[in-house]
């Protein structure tokens, strides 16, 4: 079991985005990655707990060879780009952009007068989508947002929603990010606790919610 606390990660950012980068693949992004960051897990090469400044935006930019998962835990985000242009992504929704070996351009923006949170994961697709794809997935009740029943992939990403006192077993190697809430963890005889903003890498770990909880779970 390895845990990275949000409080141990410096705030960085670009344009109107501020972020805590929790995972960054050194092979993909070079050796300027902060020492505390987790390295690649399965196909996941980047994970950031980010937020827009009021009325901020990323600016239009290009991605290639990468699928991008964006979770909006509250508020809303406006999306423009070569995939799914003009969409408003609401609280408890995931935006999925798959490059299909074609690449895509996008600009995400905050239409609100207060900071807007955003959790983002970048996945190196294996295999690639046959063509570029854009989806909005409702996750208020949880569910698979990448791989699994949606399409073939070596990496699977799920949103897990647990009411207080409910338990959940993550079988095998897994990466767990706490979107909201607090929980207890048990891996073999090692016990710990997690809160919103924490990231854990573990195997065969049992999770028990202390409050209502939302998690992002990566397996592969």
């Amino acid at each position: 079991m390895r845990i990275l606390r949000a409080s141990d990660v410096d705030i960085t950012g670009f344009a109107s985005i501020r972020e805590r980068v929790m995972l960054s693949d050194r092979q993909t992004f070079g050796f300027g990655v902060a020492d505390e960051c987790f390295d690649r897990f399965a196909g996941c090469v980047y994970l950031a707990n980010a937020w827009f400044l009021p009325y901020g935006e990323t600016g239009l930019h290009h991605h290639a060879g990468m699928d991008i998962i964006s979770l909006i835990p509250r508020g809303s985000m406006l999306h423009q780009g070569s995939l799914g242009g003009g969409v408003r992504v609401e609280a408890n929704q995931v935006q999925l952009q798959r490059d299909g070996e074609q690449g895509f351009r996008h600009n995400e923006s905050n239409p609100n007068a207060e900071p807007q949170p955003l959790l983002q994961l970048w996945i190196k697709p294996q295999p690639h989508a046959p063509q570029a794809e854009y989806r909005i997935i409702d996750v208020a009740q949880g569910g698979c947002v990448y791989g699994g029943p949606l399409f073939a992939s070596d990496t699977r990403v799920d949103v897990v929603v647990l009411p207080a006192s409910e338990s959940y077993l993550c079988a095998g190697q897994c990466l767990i990010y706490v979107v909201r809430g607090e929980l207890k963890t048990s891996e073999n005889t090692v016990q710990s606790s997690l809160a919103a903003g924490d990231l854990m890498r573990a195997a065969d770990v049992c999770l028990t919610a202390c409050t209502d909880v939302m998690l992002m779970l990566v397996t592969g």
Side-chain angles (χ1 to χ4, degrees):
M1 178 188 298
R2 183 184 170 198
I3 297 173
L4 180 59
R5 308 288 183 187
S7 58
D8 294 332
V9 180
D10 288 340
I11 297 172
T12 57
F14 63 96
S16 297
I17 292 283
R18 301 295 177 265
E19 61 183 352
R20 287 186 171 94
V21 178
M22 311 291 286
L23 180 150
S24 188
D25 178 39
R26 287 161 177 81
Q27 183 174 350
T28 300
F29 300 109
F31 291 91
V33 176
D35 290 343
E36 64 270 15
C37 278
F38 281 17
D39 209 348
R40 177 178 184 149
F41 179 87
C44 183
V45 297
Y46 176 89
L47 185 152
N49 171 17
W51 59 97
F52 293 91
L53 298 179
Y55 302 117
E57 60 183 78
T58 63
L60 187 66
H61 58 285
H62 180 262
H63 291 275
M66 206 73 68
D67 295 345
I68 297 184
I69 298 164
S70 303
L71 168 65
I72 303 301
R74 66 176 186 274
S76 61
M77 179 182 77
L78 294 179
H79 168 76
Q80 295 290 340
S82 54
L83 300 176
V87 172
R88 189 181 186 106
V89 191
E90 302 287 356
N92 297 317
Q93 289 186 328
V94 163
Q95 172 182 268
L96 174 61
Q97 299 171 87
R98 303 184 69 203
D99 88 325
E101 296 189 281
Q102 302 169 41
F104 58 88
R105 294 173 294 110
H106 72 144
N107 175 37
E108 314 297 346
S109 62
N110 175 15
N112 308 302
E114 58 278 337
Q116 172 58 49
L118 164 72
L119 176 67
Q120 196 164 90
L121 287 76
W122 296 8
I123 308 288
K124 278 199 168 178
Q126 185 61 41
H128 280 277
Q131 60 185 21
E133 179 185 10
Y134 182 90
R135 296 192 194 198
I136 297 292
I137 305 169
D138 292 314
V139 293
Q141 304 304 316
C144 180
V145 299
Y146 191 90
L150 299 179
F151 49 79
S153 173
D154 290 347
T155 301
R156 174 171 173 151
V157 182
D158 291 89
V159 173
V160 178
V161 175
L162 297 176
S165 301
E166 187 167 317
S167 293
Y168 183 90
L169 177 63
C170 298
Q173 294 285 334
C174 57
L175 186 73
I176 300 164
Y177 178 82
V178 185
V179 179
R180 57 174 174 256
E182 299 178 1
L183 62 152
K184 299 292 186 182
T185 73
S186 177
E187 182 186 35
N188 296 322
T189 59
V190 178
Q191 297 184 340
S192 189
S193 60
L194 296 175
D198 291 342
L199 180 67
M200 178 174 72
R201 181 169 180 166
D204 299 324
V205 62
C206 182
L207 311 174
T208 302
C210 302
T211 64
D212 291 350
V213 166
M214 176 180 279
L215 310 170
M216 187 74 85
L217 171 66
V218 184
T219 54

